[in-house]
Amino acid sequence: MEDLKELQQSLPEAESHSTPDIIMQHPYQYRPLASLTSIRVLSLLPCRASLQDKQLHCKLEEVSLESNPVFQALSYTWGENLFPCTLRCGSHTIQITQNLRDALLHFQQPDEELRIWIDAICINQSDTEEKSHQIPLMEEIYRKASNVLIWLGTESEGSKEVMRYLTHIGSKFLERGGPVLEPKVEQHCEEHGATNKVLWEEVYGDSEMMKKTDVIWTRPWFSRRWIIQEIAFARTATVYCGTEKVEWNVLAMAGEVLARLEGDGSQYLNRRTGMGRGAVSRGLQNITKVARIRRDIWASEREATAIQIHACLEDARGFDCRDDKDRVFALLGIFNHRRKTPFTIEYKRSEAEVFEEFARYCIRESNSVDVLSWAGISNHLLCGESLKIPSWVPNWRLPFRGPTDMLRGFAAGGKFEATLEFDESNSTLVTRGKLIDRVIAVMPCVGEIEQEELAKGEPKWTVVNPSYVGLWYQFLEMRLFEALAFVGMDRHPYRGGGGSAWAALARTLIMDDKEVTFDYERQMDNMPPEHVPDNEPQPELPDEFTGFRNWIYLKLGDLTGQNRIITSPGMVMIDYELMTYFSRVVDRSQERRFYVTRKGYMGLGPKELEINDQICAFAGSRVPHALRPQNEDFRAFNEPPRIEYEWCGDVDVGGIHVPYVKRTRKETFRLVGECYTQGLMSGEIWKVDTAVLEDFILV
């Protein structure tokens, strides 16, 4: 046996990265851990050899977290699911990825052991039962680690210079202190405006270096889902990229600074940098999200509260993992932090079982229906292969498509508290709310038309050449006024808040974005019905909408050789405001269908929205939702013939008494998805119509 050890130690594994057959015969055999608080810690043995001659030898030691062991923890990416490299553990071997080998070679000390926790080695990855016990300990592991070593990978072209640039600007803003606001705000600050201006000029003074920062932000580490809780609970963390290193808080500050600069509304095209807006890389977005979750975690420590589950889920959507069940399990420490009832994991469960159980956990813990924003038929179809889960259960594989792919900042459900129940099988969700109206007209999404036009060889739209976006808008406008005329609402003020239908359309197209550069309250006044001209934009409309519409019809005329301009645009200037409005219209409608309801409401709904779907406001929800009745002859209370129901009393909502009723006939619905309904996004539905609170059974 001693001869075998000597033979193994003499093999040139570090140079060839290959593993001779004699070593492969002795892979490391994991022993069961002694207790539920036990973990393994790797001791990487020292080596004085040069990098090309180094060999990796280690010991694995079992310790109890209750004994407060001293160790560091590694945060890295596995990379490809290949294990070509060898780590020697006594007379045995452990196969590891190339990226882990690079990290261990970098952190290996010449004279002393490095005690470090590494998920791929310290957890028996082939034992699902052990994984189910060890992963819940990761919060405590990363919290008790003396430092978290973040390994971005080896050096690449330009990475050293970018790391130094990020270190410089991050340090400068940390030294200044205070929150980071957009440059246009900070430079006009009365107290520190001059100082801030100089500081920001240092940031974008080197435009070439700004462009190169994606050398860091595009590293796979920034999109790995597991790193969220690893950094959220770390006491301290240091980031390494090749031989360069920077403290986590410095890099996070640099990321926040660059993200703020990119979002600065004063610069559609930054003349100083030559960089356009909207080019924020995924990694840059993600580092700001991780930093926000980390702040929330430590704030929850001070305030002895748990963080909001749905807020964490929303931030985590831009991060990936190899096993779809880890979309939930990778955030387990955050979900369970300071909660009396933890969510338990079992890797033996199917994805569908995990997703459904976690949906129930979210609903029970938060007593909120906000989790339904991830659910619905439309979102399920975006995830590929069906898991055959109820429509109210989110498919947590839902891809991140952009910062506006979910609706935020609304309160359509008003001051109600959500009422949520599950049936005996736990597969049906019952919640209360109010039907808003039935959909009578639907427009395709921009993305649906785009797919057809690009297949024909048409060029992709731009602001200068709207192409199929112009055709989409022209058709939308035509269908809108046809539908309004059909229900007799084309010459009346818009039902959801008054004003003309044109004014409502201008706001609907951008989902009443409060960040637009023009002021709706200043520019839109209600007009009496007799003063609303036939299908013409009004002078009180925002210039951006009028310019957008004129530009569309001008370009349609160019395409067809006809003068289709209804309102003469005169000289159409493509300025920042017009470009911003145009881009937001397309962004909001890329995967949303424009709809009109029987009462004349208009809005943007999910891609799978159909005629006769019902728009509903659940009590306490942020946004309305589209439901699909499972009985074809379903009717609302205000639709003839009369519906049989049982009156169950009144509910007081902010001083408004709302009757609560139950239908005699059981009605079930499938959730289609969340909706924007113009004029009903802040609880107005309980005031503008006769409000009736009823139960909705979601299947």
Side-chain angles (χ1 to χ4, degrees):
M1 190 66 179
E2 293 295 321
D3 293 339
L4 178 60
K5 288 184 180 180
E6 293 176 3
L7 176 60
Q8 289 173 332
Q9 293 173 358
S10 66
L11 290 171
E13 181 273 326
E15 295 181 4
S16 67
H17 301 179
S18 61
T19 306
D21 291 342
I22 191 168
I23 293 180
M24 288 297 293
Q25 294 173 4
H26 296 84
Y28 183 83
Q29 298 295 318
Y30 287 91
R31 296 178 181 177
L33 292 167
S35 72
L36 295 179
T37 60
S38 294
I39 64 169
R40 300 182 186 91
V41 173
L42 180 144
S43 292
L44 184 62
L45 303 183
C47 180
R48 284 181 167 274
S50 61
L51 182 61
Q52 60 268 27
D53 295 326
K54 275 189 174 184
Q55 293 187 354
L56 296 174
H57 296 263
C58 76
K59 298 182 295 183
L60 276 178
E61 175 189 359
E62 181 177 335
V63 298
S64 172
L65 284 171
E66 294 176 340
S67 66
N68 295 319
V70 177
F71 63 95
Q72 299 184 76
L74 183 66
S75 179
Y76 73 112
T77 58
W78 286 28
E80 295 184 13
N81 198 25
L82 300 173
F83 305 88
C85 306
T86 301
L87 171 66
R88 298 183 185 180
C89 189
S91 61
H92 299 83
T93 61
I94 299 173
Q95 297 306 118
I96 60 175
T97 64
Q98 180 64 52
N99 191 43
L100 179 53
R101 181 180 187 276
D102 292 339
L104 291 175
L105 288 174
H106 179 83
F107 294 121
Q108 189 176 39
Q109 301 298 305
D111 299 311
E112 60 183 17
E113 293 183 1
L114 172 69
R115 287 172 57 80
I116 189 167
W117 188 88
I118 304 170
D119 58 355
I121 298 174
C122 297
I123 298 177
N124 183 358
Q125 299 294 328
S126 62
D127 186 338
T128 56
E129 185 174 351
E130 180 176 304
K131 287 171 65 178
S132 297
H133 289 303
Q134 286 284 291
I135 287 174
L137 297 178
M138 287 181 67
E139 171 191 348
E140 190 174 359
I141 290 170
Y142 279 88
R143 185 187 295 278
K144 289 192 172 182
S146 59
N147 189 36
V148 173
L149 306 177
I150 300 172
W151 176 249
L152 300 185
T154 56
E155 185 178 316
S156 62
E157 184 178 355
S159 64
K160 181 176 292 188
E161 293 76 17
V162 170
M163 284 287 285
R164 292 175 180 175
Y165 168 74
L166 295 173
T167 301
H168 174 72
I169 64 174
S171 300
K172 284 286 187 179
F173 274 84
L174 277 177
E175 183 181 336
R176 184 200 69 173
V180 179
L181 306 177
E182 292 183 350
K184 66 176 181 179
V185 176
E186 292 204 346
Q187 293 179 27
H188 290 88
C189 173
E190 292 184 6
E191 186 176 355
H192 303 293
T195 303
N196 290 337
K197 183 176 181 181
V198 172
L199 193 56
W200 277 106
E201 285 177 349
E202 281 195 56
V203 177
Y204 48 64
D206 190 343
S207 59
E208 289 303 313
M209 188 57 68
M210 278 190 63
K211 294 177 182 178
K212 292 178 181 178
T213 55
D214 273 358
V215 168
I216 297 300
W217 306 132
T218 54
R219 297 257 173 163
W221 185 87
F222 291 99
S223 60
R224 180 176 180 254
R225 201 173 183 92
W226 286 97
I227 65 105
I228 299 175
Q229 70 171 358
E230 293 171 359
I231 304 308
F233 294 109
R235 287 187 286 176
T236 63
T238 309
V239 184
Y240 294 83
C241 182
T243 57
E244 294 296 316
K245 70 175 183 177
V246 58
E247 294 305 308
W248 161 261
N249 61 338
V250 175
L251 184 66
M253 177 59 75
E256 188 168 352
V257 168
L258 293 180
R260 286 291 189 183
L261 177 62
E262 193 60 49
D264 186 2
S266 66
Q267 303 167 16
Y268 182 85
L269 182 66
N270 190 321
R271 294 188 181 92
R272 297 182 181 89
T273 67
M275 298 172 69
R277 291 190 63 204
V280 182
S281 69
R282 181 179 175 186
L284 181 53
Q285 293 178 44
N286 284 352
I287 192 172
T288 60
K289 293 174 180 178
V290 173
R292 180 165 57 245
I293 293 173
R294 178 176 167 82
R295 287 194 297 268
D296 290 345
I297 285 289
W298 290 101
S300 74
E301 283 290 291
R302 293 190 300 270
E303 300 165 7
T305 59
I307 72 169
Q308 292 184 335
I309 293 178
H310 68 81
C312 178
L313 287 168
E314 197 165 294
D315 280 337
R317 286 192 305 122
F319 296 81
D320 297 324
C321 52
R322 183 174 292 122
D323 186 337
D324 283 329
K325 283 178 279 191
D326 288 339
R327 297 186 183 279
V328 173
F329 297 162
L331 303 173
L332 188 71
I334 297 173
F335 298 145
N336 288 345
H337 182 62
R338 303 197 71 88
R339 293 189 189 279
K340 294 179 180 179
T341 306
F343 181 73
T344 57
I345 68 173
E346 292 182 35
Y347 269 97
K348 293 180 180 179
R349 288 181 174 179
S350 67
E351 289 175 16
E353 290 172 324
V354 170
F355 289 0
E356 189 170 338
E357 182 57 36
F358 185 62
R360 284 190 288 268
Y361 177 80
C362 290
I363 290 170
R364 286 170 176 148
E365 284 295 307
S366 64
N367 194 35
S368 165
V369 293
D370 288 341
V371 73
L372 298 183
S373 289
W374 284 264
I377 298 169
S378 280
N379 284 338
H380 286 182
L381 290 175
L382 289 171
C383 300
E385 182 183 358
S386 172
L387 294 179
K388 297 180 180 179
I389 52 181
S391 66
W392 56 268
V393 174
N395 186 327
W396 300 109
R397 300 179 302 181
L398 182 66
F400 177 73
R401 304 174 315 279
T404 61
D405 62 357
M406 285 190 181
L407 300 175
R408 301 174 178 86
F410 301 108
K415 298 180 180 179
F416 277 106
E417 288 188 6
T419 303
L420 302 154
E421 298 175 356
F422 296 99
D423 68 357
E424 294 180 358
S425 68
N426 269 340
S427 61
T428 297
L429 173 65
V430 183
T431 185
R432 291 178 188 170
K434 180 190 182 302
L435 278 181
I436 295 174
D437 204 7
R438 177 168 54 86
V439 175
I440 63 168
V442 177
M443 267 291 299
C445 309
V446 169
E448 294 175 274
I449 295 179
E450 178 177 81
Q451 190 174 5
E452 295 176 3
E453 295 299 311
L454 293 181
K456 298 176 186 176
E458 293 292 329
K460 188 173 177 63
W461 77 274
T462 63
V463 175
V464 176
N465 180 23
S467 60
Y468 51 86
V469 174
L471 298 173
W472 165 82
Y473 175 76
Q474 182 188 39
F475 185 40
L476 180 152
E477 191 176 284
M478 179 183 68
R479 290 293 300 276
L480 166 63
F481 286 100
E482 283 179 352
L484 292 178
F486 179 74
V487 295
M489 293 297 297
D490 54 328
R491 293 180 176 272
H492 291 274
Y494 180 66
R495 191 180 191 93
S500 69
W502 287 106
L505 174 60
R507 303 177 76 165
T508 301
L509 290 175
I510 58 170
M511 298 195 300
D512 204 8
D513 194 331
K514 297 300 187 295
E515 294 182 359
V516 292
T517 55
F518 51 84
D519 183 354
Y520 281 118
E521 298 299 328
R522 173 174 56 81
Q523 298 197 46
M524 295 201 309
D525 298 315
N526 292 348
M527 296 182 65
E530 61 269 24
H531 291 154
V532 179
D534 186 23
N535 294 6
E536 282 297 319
Q538 297 309 299
E540 90 279 5
L541 286 174
D543 294 339
E544 288 71 21
F545 171 70
T546 305
F548 160 78
R549 185 176 183 275
N550 287 340
W551 183 248
I552 288 288
Y553 279 101
L554 176 67
K555 300 310 291 184
L556 283 173
D558 291 344
L559 288 171
T560 62
Q562 302 175 24
N563 181 11
R564 295 189 179 188
I565 304 169
I566 297 178
T567 303
S568 177
M571 179 64 72
V572 180
M573 299 295 293
I574 309 180
D575 55 15
Y576 163 71
E577 288 78 10
L578 176 57
M579 286 192 288
T580 299
Y581 187 89
F582 199 117
S583 298
R584 287 177 175 172
V585 168
V586 178
D587 177 66
R588 274 53 169 179
S589 299
Q590 184 68 26
E591 293 186 356
R592 292 186 178 94
R593 288 183 167 180
F594 184 90
Y595 65 86
V596 183
T597 73
R598 186 175 59 91
K599 298 176 185 175
Y601 291 117
M602 65 182 79
L604 293 171
K607 191 174 181 179
E608 301 304 316
L609 187 70
E610 296 178 357
I611 292 175
N612 290 326
D613 283 345
Q614 300 283 338
I615 309 300
C616 167
F618 296 134
S621 79
R622 295 184 298 181
V623 297
H625 290 82
L627 304 179
R628 186 158 299 158
Q630 297 304 283
N631 291 325
E632 293 183 0
D633 60 344
F634 172 84
R635 298 186 308 281
F637 281 100
N638 54 7
E639 288 186 287
R642 184 178 181 275
I643 303 296
E644 294 184 6
Y645 63 89
E646 174 189 356
W647 180 70
C648 301
D650 288 347
V651 178
D652 189 320
V653 185
I656 302 173
H657 292 278
V658 180
Y660 168 49
V661 301
K662 287 189 176 182
R663 295 171 181 261
T664 302
R665 186 179 79 169
K666 181 179 179 180
E667 300 285 358
T668 59
F669 304 84
R670 294 191 71 199
L671 179 67
V672 183
E674 61 177 11
C675 298
Y676 174 87
T677 305
Q678 176 58 37
L680 299 180
M681 300 302 291
S682 299
E684 298 91 341
I685 188 60
W686 309 105
K687 304 173 185 177
V688 298
D689 283 327
T690 302
V692 177
L693 195 65
E694 60 178 305
D695 289 337
F696 294 95
I697 303 173
L698 305 183
V699 295

